[in-house]
Amino acid sequence: MTAPAGSIHVVFTLTSPLSHGGFGPPVGNAQLIRRMPLALPSGALVHVPAVSGNALRGTLRRIIMRDLLAVSGLDRESPGWDALYAAVANGGHLEGASTALDPTYVRELREALPALSVFGAALRTWFLEGRMRVGMCWPRCRETHEAGLVSHGTRGAEDLVAEHSQVRHVDREMQDPDVSGVTPMPTTMETLVTGTVLQSSITFHGRATDVERSCIAWGLDRLEVLGGKSASGLGSVRVEHDCRHPGASVYAEWRETASPRAALEGLAAKLSADRK
């Protein structure tokens, strides 16, 4: 399987178990892994563990945007920080009626902040459309191979799932659980096992610039974890991708030479004004 033209084909190899919680009825203190329904060519309907494209997109967004804010010298003390961070690093939100847009301002914003342009964002009263689509991260297994989603795979999907248990221990020398209420807390979660390989593709709209495409390659080169519970060692990944042209160097050069602070401060001021 190859990625469509204008796409980045991405392969993640898990170097520790990966947790990606699913939705559904409660199952005690256990957390089931997210499974996606998949209709096979044979007509069978199976449920395959997978990592959502939204999870990958969000991880990349935070890596790139946190760095952009840092190199611009902006932090929590900067005017309008909360609204700005929510917009660029979390995707923002819409409130109230839409406002008429100045096409010149939109073009200038895209040129000044290519990372925001490629991810897109809801900017209180209007929506900046992103210029890429992030696909599901499908495991290489028999079912996804049969469905034509991955290049190969022989193991069954459920063979890649295992239970992972953790417990919070308390320091009884320093605190009394009867007083604090903090007691040992065992949890069990389903995880994709170490060594599982996931495939995804990131597809760009035709208008995406070289800097915008390069921005995603730059972020992929710095991505080290996927999924939840990374603070306890889960979700470590080794990343491979085929974005060689333009590659990460174009964004790296833009990052070193551009001056995005004024555009970020202007966006922060506009977001604050729109809320009023």
Side-chain angles (χ1 to χ4, degrees), residues 101-110 123 126 263 266-267 270:
L101 296 181
D102 177 357
T104 300
Y105 172 73
V106 176
R107 287 194 295 269
E108 290 175 348
L109 185 66
R110 287 191 182 278
L123 301 174
W126 64 287
L267 179 59
K270 184 172 178 57

Side-chain angles (χ1 to χ4, degrees), residues 79-90:
W81 167 265
D82 291 293
L84 178 63
Y85 186 90
V88 300
N90 296 143

Side-chain angles (χ1 to χ4, degrees), residues 118-141:
V118 73
F119 279 102
L123 301 174
R124 292 212 188 279
T125 59
W126 64 287
F127 184 77
L128 180 69
E129 182 184 5
R131 289 181 168 177
M132 68 171 178
R133 295 189 301 272
V134 181
M136 294 286 299
C137 302
W138 294 106
R140 284 180 178 170
C141 62

Side-chain angles (χ1 to χ4, degrees), residues 105-171:
Y105 172 73
V106 176
R107 287 194 295 269
E108 290 175 348
L109 185 66
R110 287 191 182 278
E111 184 176 354
L113 301 174
L116 184 65
S117 179
V118 73
F119 279 102
L123 301 174
R124 292 212 188 279
T125 59
W126 64 287
F127 184 77
L128 180 69
E129 182 184 5
R131 289 181 168 177
M132 68 171 178
R133 295 189 301 272
V134 181
M136 294 286 299
C137 302
W138 294 106
R140 284 180 178 170
C141 62
R142 184 170 58 246
E143 293 86 347
T144 54
H145 183 224
E146 181 180 340
L149 299 174
V150 300
S151 56
H152 57 278
T154 56
R155 291 183 178 273
E158 289 303 316
D159 293 338
L160 302 177
V161 178
E163 289 190 350
H164 181 88
S165 297
Q166 297 182 158
V167 63
R168 177 184 65 194
H169 295 284
V170 298
D171 187 349

Side-chain angles (χ1 to χ4, degrees), residues 135-218:
M136 294 286 299
C137 302
W138 294 106
R140 284 180 178 170
C141 62
R142 184 170 58 246
E143 293 86 347
T144 54
H145 183 224
E146 181 180 340
L149 299 174
V150 300
S151 56
H152 57 278
T154 56
R155 291 183 178 273
E158 289 303 316
D159 293 338
L160 302 177
V161 178
E163 289 190 350
H164 181 88
S165 297
Q166 297 182 158
V167 63
R168 177 184 65 194
H169 295 284
V170 298
D171 187 349
R172 295 177 183 271
E173 288 188 25
M174 300 303 294
Q175 61 99 352
D176 183 350
D178 291 336
V179 176
S180 69
V182 177
T183 60
M185 184 177 68
T187 59
T188 299
M189 65 194 78
E190 288 186 326
T191 62
L192 284 170
V193 300
T194 302
T196 298
V197 177
L198 304 170
Q199 286 189 202
S200 182
S201 63
I202 300 174
T203 306
F204 297 94
H205 297 187
R207 290 176 296 171
T209 66
D210 281 352
V211 179
E212 292 171 2
R213 296 168 189 260
S214 177
C215 168
I216 302 306
W218 187 92

Side-chain angles (χ1 to χ4, degrees), residues 9-128:
H9 183 206
V10 192
V11 176
F12 303 95
T13 302
L14 305 191
T15 56
S16 71
L18 181 145
S19 170
H20 189 50
F23 300 98
V27 286
N29 70 338
Q31 182 184 61
L32 303 182
I33 199 164
R34 186 170 304 183
R35 290 174 171 83
M36 301 297 295
L38 183 61
L40 300 181
S42 64
L45 180 66
V46 297
H47 288 76
V48 177
V51 175
S52 69
N54 192 54
L56 172 57
R57 184 188 187 97
T59 300
L60 283 171
R61 181 192 282 271
R62 285 188 292 277
I63 290 170
I64 294 166
M65 295 303 187
R66 287 172 178 172
D67 172 80
L68 181 63
L69 291 166
V71 298
S72 298
L74 300 176
D75 57 27
R76 289 188 61 86
E77 303 304 316
S78 303
W81 167 265
D82 291 293
L84 178 63
Y85 186 90
V88 300
N90 296 143
H93 72 288
L94 295 175
E95 59 180 36
S98 298
T99 58
L101 296 181
D102 177 357
T104 300
Y105 172 73
V106 176
R107 287 194 295 269
E108 290 175 348
L109 185 66
R110 287 191 182 278
E111 184 176 354
L113 301 174
L116 184 65
S117 179
V118 73
F119 279 102
L123 301 174
R124 292 212 188 279
T125 59
W126 64 287
F127 184 77
L128 180 69

